[in-house]
Structures are given as structure tokens and as C-alpha cells.
Amino acid sequence: MADLKKEKLMLRALRGEALACPPIWLMRQAGRYLPEYRALRAKATNFLELCLAPDLAEEITLQPIRRFGFDAAILFADILLVPSALGRKLWFQDGEGPRLEPLAARDVAALTRSAIPERLSPVFETIKRLRKSLPVETTLIGFGGAPWTVATYMIAGAGSDDSGAARLFALQEPKAFAALINVLVDATVDYLVAQARAGAEVLQLFESWAATIPAESIAAFSVGPLERIVEGVRAKAPGVPVMIFPRGAGTNYLRYDAIGADALSLDAHVSLEAAVGMLKTRCLQGNLDPFRLIAGGKPLEESVRHIRRAMNGRAFIFNLGHGVRQETPVEHVAQLVSLVREAAA
Ligand code: CP3
């Protein structure tokens, strides 16, 4: 029992403990809303250089921890490093987001995961350094993209609201699409296991485009592949909790719940009252509307109280329903952390 109490808050919640004050971290907690991030970003040639330079990636990961003392740090990297390590050209157009050379059906056979250990070795080095530089109470989260979400960027060559290019590709080139998902499943297992071996204590899978999958394809495009990843990671890195964020999954949250991951991350559209009754995953995470964090004041206070009350008695990690937006005032983030750590739920 004494040992259990010394365990980091984040890991206690992930083992199923309902804490009076939930641990807190935020998706995109390192990023452009922080002046110290913008200063480092301005000095680098491009975003990829930041991800692949261990001294810079370590520093950026630490920035929000120093400022706000979050319970967890998320590795500074990007889900699109995997397609880049599979041999696809990747670049970040300033102000426009990621760009990849669009993938055609005939390109799939050439994707090989053998270069992952070598090409992504700077990421593993960043993790090793962070385990030494982070405060003892802070948990280090590694992450990867879910195969569908990564495939949408690979096929279209950019982000899109409806994932139209990937949906059409899946229908018109079913064999190439299945092969692509398979390569991404195996590559993601390799990548996440290597992160765990380097020192990542928790792993999160981002299915950021779950909302664009038609209901009849949820199993083949997303839930099945995620199940295989969770199984693969558990076999090779036992004891490292895995969290899944199927953003915008709506009623399909029930299908993701059935995967039996260690935590399920809820977007801001999920009703917590409904989720508590229906979802069986050991720990839930979420789901503050990022716009309430921008607004601050009463809208922020009311929602934090509501979330804490709804999740009282349940293993829970406080987070946003999606990433911190660039226009978020830093003072509101500090206010959020103190509200979450106030004694009464
Ligand atoms: O603080 C953190 O959360 C850790 C780092 C992190 C980044 N990207 C840094 C980043 C994480 C966990 C991601 C994941 C990621 N990347 C996702 C899944 C999460 C989500 O937001 O849904 C996705 C879809 C991507 C792909 C990606 N990378 C996009 C769509 C963009 C452009 C969006 C934007 O805000 O410009 C990026 C670039 C990116 N990744 C930035 C950061 C800090 C901004 C880069 C810059 O400084 O110009």
C-alpha cells in the first residue's frame, strides 16, 4: 500500500484509482500558444527539425511542465513521423499544416518499416533524456497516430475535413488499402514499443479523424487495427498503459470502449453523464471544450466543476476534448490547473 501511494498520480488513475483531485495534462500542451515555444520555433529551419533534434524536442516537452506543473508530459513529436520513416516525403508548410507526397495504390508495396529504428532514433533519444530531466512526479507519455488517421494524411497529402480521398481509396483500391493499414499497424507497434523501451511510461493513440469513418467501416478501418496495436504493444511492452482518443466517434465510442484499452479519451461532444454509465474502460480522460479555455472566467470555472462532479468516484484524467488552440491565453491554462487541483469536486 505504501508503495502504491508513492506511485505517480497519472499511473494511479490509469490503474483504476478514483482520485479526489484528478491528474491533469493537455493535448498540445507544448505548442504555439506558448511564447517560449514560438521563440524556439522561430530559430529552427522547420517543424520537422524540432521533432528530430533531441535537445530541442526535450526543451519543448519541458516548457509546459515548468510553467504549469502538469502531471504528465507528452513527448514533443508528430504522428506523421511514421509515414516519413516509411519513406514518404513529409514537410510542414508554414501556416498551412502538414504536406505529404500523395500515396497511390502502386506505392503501397514499397512501404517498409525496416528504417523505423534508425530514422526515428532521435525520438527515442529525446525520451531517454526526458526520463532524466522530468520532475519525479511527472509521467512521460509517448504517442502515435492510429492507422486510419495517418492513412488519411498519406493518401490526400494533407488534412481534410471529410477524409474524402482516403474513403474513396478504400472503396476503389480495397487490397492496397488493407495492405496500407497492415503496414501502419506493424510500424506503429514497432514505434510505440521502441518508445516504451526508451522510457515512455504511457502511450496514447490518436484517432483524430474517427468522425469521418462511415459506421459500416469502423471495424475494418479503425477498431480492428487499434485492437491489433494494443495487443502487440501489450505483448512486447507489458505493463505500459495504452490510451485511445477516437475524436468525434459519437455512438461508435462504444466500439472503441470494447477494445479494453487502459484509458479512453473523450472529446467535448460526449456527454459525461451518459459516458459514465455506458463506458467500461478502466479510466476515462477529457473532455473540456478547448474554446472554454480560450474564454476563461466563468465559462471555464463552470465546466471544470461540472466535469469534476460528473467524474467524481471514477478513475479519471483531466484533459481537453481536443488540443490547446494557438489563441489560448497562457493565464487561462494556469487558472485551469488550479481549478482542477482545488480540494472539493
Ligand atoms: O504537445 C503535444 O501534444 C505534443 C506534440 C504533438 C504535436 N502533434 C505537435 C505539433 C502531438 C501529440 C501531435 C499529434 C498530431 N499531429 C495529431 C493528433 C492530435 C490532433 O491534434 O488531433 C495530428 C492529426 C497531427 C498532424 C499535424 N501536425 C497537424 C494536422 C499539424 C498542423 C496543425 C497546426 O496546429 O498547425 C501538425 C503540426 C504540429 N504538430 C504543430 C505542433 C506543435 C504546429 C507546428 C508549428 O509550430 O508550426
Side-chain angles (χ1 to χ4, degrees):
M1 246 357 228
D3 274 357
L4 194 69
K5 292 298 169 208
K6 266 189 245 149
E7 204 179 18
K8 301 176 187 188
L9 280 189
M10 178 82 181
L11 297 175
R12 283 168 63 185
L14 284 163
R15 305 217 194 291
E17 196 178 337
L19 297 154
C21 286
I24 175 172
W25 70 281
L26 305 179
M27 292 186 272
R28 287 282 171 93
Q29 64 190 23
R32 286 170 299 190
Y33 76 105
L34 286 177
E36 58 271 36
Y37 171 80
R38 294 196 300 269
L40 260 187
R41 175 79 169 84
K43 280 193 259 163
T45 335
N46 58 54
F47 174 74
L48 266 186
E49 182 198 318
L50 290 184
C51 294
L52 295 175
D55 53 337
L56 298 177
E58 178 191 18
E59 171 58 24
I60 296 171
T61 306
L62 292 170
Q63 286 175 344
I65 305 305
R66 285 195 201 109
R67 217 187 236 273
F68 308 112
F70 289 119
D71 294 288
I74 182 158
L75 166 74
F76 185 80
D78 199 87
I79 63 166
L80 300 177
L81 295 181
V82 166
S84 148
L86 290 173
R88 305 305 296 169
K89 274 202 197 84
L90 167 70
W91 67 102
F92 285 80
Q93 212 106 311
D94 275 343
E96 284 182 43
R99 292 286 181 274
L100 290 130
E101 166 192 18
L103 180 94
R106 63 175 177 281
D107 300 326
V108 174
L111 301 172
T112 56
R113 49 193 246 267
S114 55
I116 287 183
E118 155 73 25
R119 287 208 204 162
L120 299 184
S121 63
V123 174
F124 312 132
E125 174 61 25
T126 305
I127 292 174
K128 283 187 193 138
R129 293 185 187 198
L130 280 164
R131 281 305 297 277
K132 293 193 189 121
S133 51
L134 279 168
V136 287
E137 67 277 14
T138 314
T139 301
L140 180 59
I141 304 171
F143 70 92
W148 165 254
T149 290
V150 173
T152 65
Y153 288 97
M154 291 175 80
I155 293 166
S160 79
D161 289 341
D162 58 6
S163 307
R167 286 161 67 178
L168 206 54
F169 186 106
L171 297 170
Q172 293 177 330
E173 303 283 355
K175 282 204 179 110
F177 181 76
L180 172 60
I181 293 290
N182 285 341
V183 170
L184 289 171
V185 165
D186 293 340
T188 305
V189 171
D190 291 349
Y191 183 47
L192 294 179
V193 168
Q195 289 185 43
R197 289 186 179 152
E201 300 168 277
V202 177
L203 299 164
Q204 172 142 321
L205 283 156
F206 287 94
E207 187 68 287
S208 299
W209 293 106
T212 62
I213 308 171
E216 66 267 42
S217 301
I218 281 280
F221 292 8
S222 181
V223 171
L226 284 168
E227 257 162 5
R228 285 156 57 204
I229 293 172
V230 171
E231 197 181 312
V233 170
R234 282 184 176 158
K236 293 179 189 147
V240 178
V242 182
M243 316 192 283
I244 295 179
F245 176 45
R247 180 171 73 99
T251 53
N252 288 318
Y253 257 102
L254 290 167
R255 317 269 300 262
Y256 290 94
D257 185 51
I259 295 173
D262 298 274
L264 196 60
S265 216
L266 310 176
D267 63 52
H269 304 275
V270 175
S271 145
L272 294 183
E273 288 73 16
V276 167
M278 289 193 292
L279 302 176
K280 307 279 177 269
T281 302
R282 191 187 304 138
C283 181
L284 297 178
Q285 174 171 258
N287 80 334
L288 181 75
D289 177 4
F291 287 92
R292 291 209 182 230
L293 188 57
I294 299 174
K298 264 221 146 46
L300 178 59
E301 282 169 39
E302 283 167 2
S303 190
V304 173
R305 294 227 169 83
H306 166 234
I307 293 170
R308 286 194 59 192
R309 239 179 281 127
M311 290 294 119
N312 199 17
R314 183 84 156 77
F316 181 62
I317 298 163
F318 202 101
N319 207 318
L320 294 177
H322 195 199
V324 181
R325 298 177 62 94
Q326 189 177 353
E327 61 271 39
T328 306
V330 287
E331 317 83 69
H332 294 181
V333 179
Q335 186 198 356
L336 169 64
V337 173
S338 49
L339 284 169
V340 171
R341 290 186 176 152
E342 270 175 15

